[in-house]
Amino acid sequence: MLHPSRLLRLTPLPRALSAMAAPPAGGSGQCFAVEGPGSDLVCFTLSASGRPEPRCFVPAPGRCYSLCVPAAPSVPMARLHRRLQQRLRQGPFEGCRVLGLLCYGAQAALEKGFLIQDPRGGPETERALEELLRGLGELPPPLLGVYEAGERGELWQCLWALRGAGGRELLRRARVVAAEEPPLHPAVPGLSHAAVFHSLEAARSVVEQCTSFIPEATAVLDLVDKCPKQSKKGEFPVIVIEGLDATGKTTVTQSVNDSLNALLLRSPPACISQWRKTFDDEPTLIRRAFYALGNYIVASEIAKASTESPVVVDRYWHSTAAYAIATEISGKVQNLPPAHHEVYQWPEDLLKPDLVLLLTVSPEERIRRLQGRGLEKTEEETELEANNLFPQKVEESYKRMENPRCQEVDASPSREEVLRTVLYLIKKHCGSL
């Protein structure tokens, strides 16, 4: 294991270079954002001409490499990104630091990838990367970016395309210069296409692409196709309970259900919950589509049940969307899409509840409860515990949801007091039950 002092660090680029926010004339038109472990993005672009240099993030003798794939809602590209992510954690890359990388530009589609920092600077990592790319199978391998420090401290990117018989071709050599963070996080424009699904058809098209390698995908689609195209709510109220894990959501949901003599439903519904583990192990694009379809199946159950009694739902669309947004948007809470952005709007083709309650507790209390559960954690639950920025982004995303918005409830007091507050809000918004 490398001593911490030998790990390469990404240094925030100087504010004096803020004039370079746009791609410089003669450059590639691309900008890059490195998603470091801190709360700030490190942004840079490429230039064909001499300009003031940023501080180099590849100190000698180290080197950096980059790989990117298109971030469009394409299942093959999503799986390729996931495969690269898994391989870069193993074998010859264990001594490297792997950071998320976004490639974007005014005329270019978003790409997602990785910046690999190698503190050794020898040829082994580059050879291992070439071997990894050549072994990807039928898909065209991503281009390989190699970053090298010049004699005067400047930084260069060489972009290579791998060719047959072990050869490669240099496509571009350009100087790396600083850029300001864009007004919106680079991933924001693509959220509504590849992370937060606003229609049944958008989610269905993704899961449809998975039937050849996920047998359960066919079963999910069959269940979706048996649902009414546009589920209509009955005369009884529908109340959704949302919140981070360990906020008391399950307990409150059950208590409210008993108090109202209601029918309790959960999302994802029981008919597809058996396949959660299968889809949780897939890239986020596929995972989100699965949970989105689960919401539409639940909607058909809500429509039927709400003709006979009140309905209480343990999580629904807001949960699916909030976790997707927080996962895709790296860094600080301020990187989230602004309030009233389209990504926070309820899907027009999804049955809408009468009331959505968001349970909240302090971060310290939530961690204490999580540690006491002793249950196997999902990837996102692990992220919630390890990264205090992630739960902040999930909760803030919840609070920005609209039509319907979330009514916040402090779930820190006793169970009885929380239940009284929740029942008061239900009576206030849904009338006498």
Side-chain angles (χ1 to χ4, degrees):
M1 182 167 178
L2 291 171
H3 189 277
S5 64
R6 291 194 62 200
L7 291 176
L8 302 183
R9 292 180 297 171
L10 275 174
T11 307
L13 302 177
R15 285 292 177 184
L17 300 174
S18 61
M20 297 180 199
S28 68
Q30 292 176 311
C31 289
F32 301 84
V34 180
E35 302 173 324
S39 60
D40 291 323
L41 295 175
V42 176
C43 298
F44 61 93
T45 187
L46 304 174
S47 173
S49 59
R51 285 175 172 267
E53 304 293 346
R55 280 179 283 174
C56 178
F57 54 76
V58 194
R63 299 178 96 184
C64 274
Y65 307 91
S66 62
L67 309 170
C68 284
V69 299
S74 159
V75 166
M77 289 300 102
R79 297 189 79 208
L80 174 57
H81 182 272
R82 176 82 164 183
R83 185 177 172 188
L84 290 170
Q85 184 181 48
Q86 292 171 337
R87 292 288 300 275
L88 290 172
R89 295 171 178 169
Q90 304 169 355
F93 309 110
E94 288 182 354
C96 298
R97 189 181 185 195
V98 180
L99 301 171
L101 181 68
L102 296 172
C103 175
Y104 61 100
Q107 306 299 324
L110 179 71
E111 295 185 356
K112 293 178 64 176
F114 309 95
L115 183 78
I116 303 103
Q117 294 180 310
D118 176 20
R120 296 160 297 196
E124 297 82 7
T125 299
E126 191 166 335
R127 282 200 297 264
L129 284 170
E130 283 201 30
E131 182 179 341
L132 168 60
L133 296 179
R134 293 184 189 280
L136 291 176
E138 297 179 3
L139 290 172
L143 301 177
L144 174 62
V146 180
Y147 298 79
E148 301 174 342
E151 294 180 356
R152 294 173 293 178
E154 72 275 18
L155 183 63
W156 298 88
Q157 183 206 66
C158 296
L159 193 64
W160 296 90
L162 302 187
R163 302 304 185 202
R168 64 181 191 175
E169 176 187 356
L170 180 62
L171 302 180
R172 178 184 68 210
R173 184 174 188 267
R175 185 173 293 182
V176 177
V177 297
E180 254 190 357
E181 287 188 30
L184 291 178
H185 189 284
V188 167
L191 284 176
S192 294
H193 307 290
V196 181
F197 295 95
H198 283 88
S199 73
L200 184 150
E201 285 307 313
R204 194 187 191 287
S205 67
V206 171
V207 176
E208 213 166 28
Q209 297 176 58
C210 303
T211 54
S212 62
F213 58 91
I214 305 178
E216 297 84 353
T218 300
V220 173
L221 294 173
D222 288 342
L223 290 169
V224 170
D225 291 341
K226 292 175 182 176
C227 298
K229 292 297 182 185
Q230 188 80 36
S231 299
K232 303 291 185 182
K233 191 179 79 66
E235 60 184 273
F236 288 91
V238 177
I239 298 101
V240 175
I241 311 291
E242 294 280 10
L244 295 172
D245 292 292
T247 54
K249 181 172 49 60
T250 301
T251 301
V252 170
T253 300
Q254 188 62 59
S255 299
V256 172
N257 187 68
D258 294 342
S259 298
L260 300 180
N261 194 26
L263 180 68
L264 175 60
L265 298 174
R266 291 184 171 86
S267 186
C271 60
I272 66 170
S273 288
Q274 59 187 312
W275 302 315
R276 286 184 67 175
K277 181 65 169 63
T278 297
F279 284 90
D280 280 345
D281 289 338
E282 292 293 332
T284 54
L285 173 69
I286 299 172
R287 187 191 319 162
R288 296 302 167 205
F290 167 76
Y291 284 107
L293 291 183
N295 290 327
Y296 285 93
I297 296 173
V298 169
S300 68
E301 297 178 353
I302 294 172
K304 181 180 178 181
S306 60
T307 63
E308 302 172 357
S309 71
V311 179
V312 177
V313 188
D314 184 347
R315 288 191 167 170
Y316 198 24
W317 184 84
H318 282 349
S319 178
T320 309
Y323 277 82
I325 294 167
T327 300
E328 294 298 312
I329 304 300
S330 59
K332 52 197 175 184
V333 175
Q334 290 86 339
N335 289 346
L336 292 173
H340 312 303
H341 190 277
E342 64 178 2
V343 77
Y344 300 121
Q345 303 298 317
W346 190 269
E348 292 184 2
D349 64 349
L350 182 63
L351 185 149
K352 190 183 299 182
D354 296 284
L355 178 64
V356 181
L357 299 174
L358 173 63
L359 304 183
T360 62
V361 297
S362 70
E364 296 77 17
E365 173 63 13
R366 189 186 56 76
I367 292 296
R368 185 188 68 78
R369 293 180 183 183
L370 270 175
Q371 291 172 341
R373 287 164 69 169
L375 301 175
E376 183 180 351
K377 301 180 182 68
T378 66
E379 184 176 318
E380 285 174 339
E381 285 177 320
T382 303
E383 180 78 11
L384 279 168
E385 291 188 46
N387 181 357
N388 66 338
L389 287 173
F390 186 73
Q392 290 176 33
K393 288 185 292 185
V394 174
E395 206 158 75
E396 183 59 31
S397 296
Y398 270 129
K399 294 175 183 178
R400 296 184 187 185
M401 296 293 172
E402 295 181 344
N403 191 33
R405 69 184 185 90
C406 297
Q407 299 286 330
E408 190 173 347
V409 176
D410 180 7
S412 300
S414 67
R415 181 184 307 178
E416 294 74 20
E417 187 175 343
V418 174
L419 179 58
R420 281 196 297 271
T421 301
V422 167
L423 292 176
Y424 166 76
L425 288 171
I426 291 173
K427 184 176 180 180
K428 178 182 176 182
H429 290 273
C430 302
S432 178
L433 294 175

